[in-house]
Amino acid sequence: MLEAAGVGAAEGRVYRFLVEVREADAAGIAVQLGIDVTRVHWLLASLHDKGLVGMASGPPQGGPERYVPMAPDAALRPLLLRGHEALEWARRGVEQLSEDYRAGGRRHDAGQLVEVITGASVIRQRLRHMAYGAGEMRWLCKARPVALAAAENDEEWELLARGVRYKTIYERELLEGPGMVDNVARSIRAGEQARAVGTLPVRLVIADSSMAICPLVYESGEGRDDAEGAAGPADRVGEPTAAVVHSSSLLDALIALFESQWAAATPLHVTDSGELADFDGSPRPAVHLADDERYLLSLIVAGVADKAIASQLWVSQRTVQRRIQVLMQRAGALTRTQLVWQAAQRGWLA
């Protein structure tokens, strides 16, 4: 048991003996345990360095030093923590060596740039392994997934608590599923950055800009290409197939795809009551815009510069920028690109 804390078998015998008798000198320990007294002195010094034993207060005048055990919970906890940290360091070292090995192979074999994996359970296992080794995860989440249900993705909250960053874009049909709004709200409260779009072109998961998983073929006869998400429909007859893409120009293209979708998506927020703001499960209705607001928006869509817009509206450039900010807040947009996209989605220029 004590070996896990870095305490050897012989040290453990001496420590357990002291726990039983509460106090003893080296000679007494040597006799009771049948160990050479010189060896006992060495073991006691090692245990003392590890904080497991101490000197008894007030030893007899002229007598040998006597030793007492430290409380196991207080003495062993730091040793176990150091052991855990050493194991974690070793694990990360093995992972890095493995990745270096794979990277070396990929440099000599272009076929290793993309792995093909088949089966929902295999994809699910690979997604989880990828998440536990990442510092940032980026997801494109479409409706009707087949490998990892949102309700089963417990590791996300654990990893968010550890400081792993999550950026997720949800397809609105997925958000309309039972329990999904509450699930997404919980993730946002835990630290996830979440956005929503009407539709997504593909499912995609990217870890640290170094690896991605995306769909290839869904063998159901329906032409579906799912690679992550929830359990599929009952009429599914095949297994999903996905590509694991390593560092390459293809991975760069997938990252660019995610970023373009992120720029166009609408940020999701949680209200003070803990609910997901600005989502009611139905398409967002158009709102009334004043004529001058609609004209301003049309100039923005046309790409007219602020200075030229100010001249057209007979106002200052600062006023133009302020009014654009108001429109962005109403649309829930962080950039002008998002404002243009939201205006089109909401029918503000129809």
Side-chain angles (χ1 to χ4, degrees), residues 288-301 309-310 312-315 319-320 322-324 326-327 330 339 348-349:
H288 175 71
L289 291 182
D291 290 341
D292 60 341
E293 287 180 317
R294 185 171 286 106
Y295 181 47
L296 170 60
L297 192 54
S298 68
L299 294 174
I300 296 171
V301 172
I309 293 175
Q312 290 280 345
L313 298 180
W314 295 90
V315 295
T319 298
V320 169
R322 178 177 54 79
R323 294 179 66 180
I324 291 174
V326 170
L327 287 173
R330 291 172 67 182
L339 173 60
W348 284 0
L349 293 175

Side-chain angles (χ1 to χ4, degrees), residues 120 145-147 218-220 222 224 230-240:
V146 297
Y218 184 82
E219 300 174 359
S220 67
E222 300 176 3
R224 288 176 52 192
D235 61 353
R236 181 176 105 204
V237 297
E239 288 285 359

Side-chain angles (χ1 to χ4, degrees), residues 7-197:
V7 180
E11 291 174 317
R13 286 188 64 201
V14 173
Y15 179 69
R16 288 191 182 92
F17 176 76
L18 284 173
V19 168
E20 293 174 3
V21 302
R22 307 297 292 182
E23 183 178 330
D25 59 27
I29 295 172
V31 171
Q32 291 296 322
L33 298 183
I35 305 175
D36 180 77
V37 68
T38 302
R39 170 81 168 157
V40 170
H41 277 294
W42 184 89
L43 292 171
L44 287 169
S46 179
L47 289 169
H48 184 272
D49 291 341
K50 294 175 180 176
L52 289 171
V53 302
M55 300 295 185
S57 59
Q61 186 68 30
E65 293 283 357
R66 299 181 67 80
Y67 296 85
V68 294
M70 299 293 101
D73 55 347
L76 291 171
R77 188 177 293 112
L79 295 177
L80 289 170
L81 180 59
R82 286 198 293 271
H84 174 76
E85 291 173 346
L87 286 174
E88 180 65 16
W89 179 85
R91 184 188 67 80
R92 291 183 179 274
V94 170
E95 287 185 352
Q96 184 60 52
L97 284 173
S98 299
E99 179 56 31
D100 291 344
Y101 175 82
R102 289 191 293 268
R106 290 193 294 271
R107 284 193 294 270
H108 293 86
D109 182 3
Q112 294 188 37
L113 291 173
V114 178
E115 304 173 52
V116 177
I117 55 178
T118 301
S121 62
V122 175
I123 297 171
R124 184 185 306 117
Q125 182 181 16
R126 193 60 177 268
L127 286 168
R128 285 176 166 159
H129 176 77
M130 189 167 70
Y132 275 105
E136 180 183 60
M137 296 292 293
R138 287 177 278 188
W139 290 71
L140 297 183
C141 294
K142 286 176 65 66
R144 297 182 303 279
V146 297
L148 183 62
E152 299 173 356
N153 192 17
D154 296 333
E155 66 268 14
E156 175 178 347
W157 296 310
E158 175 190 344
L159 293 171
L160 283 167
R162 291 187 187 181
V164 178
R165 299 178 301 280
Y166 271 77
K167 295 174 69 174
T168 307
I169 306 175
Y170 296 95
E171 196 170 66
R172 292 192 68 82
E173 184 180 350
L174 177 64
L175 290 175
E176 293 168 359
M180 274 303 301
V181 169
D182 290 339
N183 186 279
V184 172
R186 177 183 174 186
S187 295
I188 294 173
R189 288 196 300 271
E192 176 184 281
Q193 298 179 59
R195 297 187 178 187
V197 295

Side-chain angles (χ1 to χ4, degrees), residues 206-255:
I206 303 171
D208 285 342
S209 300
S210 62
M211 184 185 302
I213 294 182
C214 62
L216 290 176
V217 177
Y218 184 82
E219 300 174 359
S220 67
E222 300 176 3
R224 288 176 52 192
D225 58 352
D226 299 316
E228 55 82 18
D235 61 353
R236 181 176 105 204
V237 297
E239 288 285 359
T241 301
V244 181
V245 182
H246 299 277
S247 297
S248 60
S249 296
L250 176 57
L251 178 61
D252 294 340
L254 293 175
I255 293 171

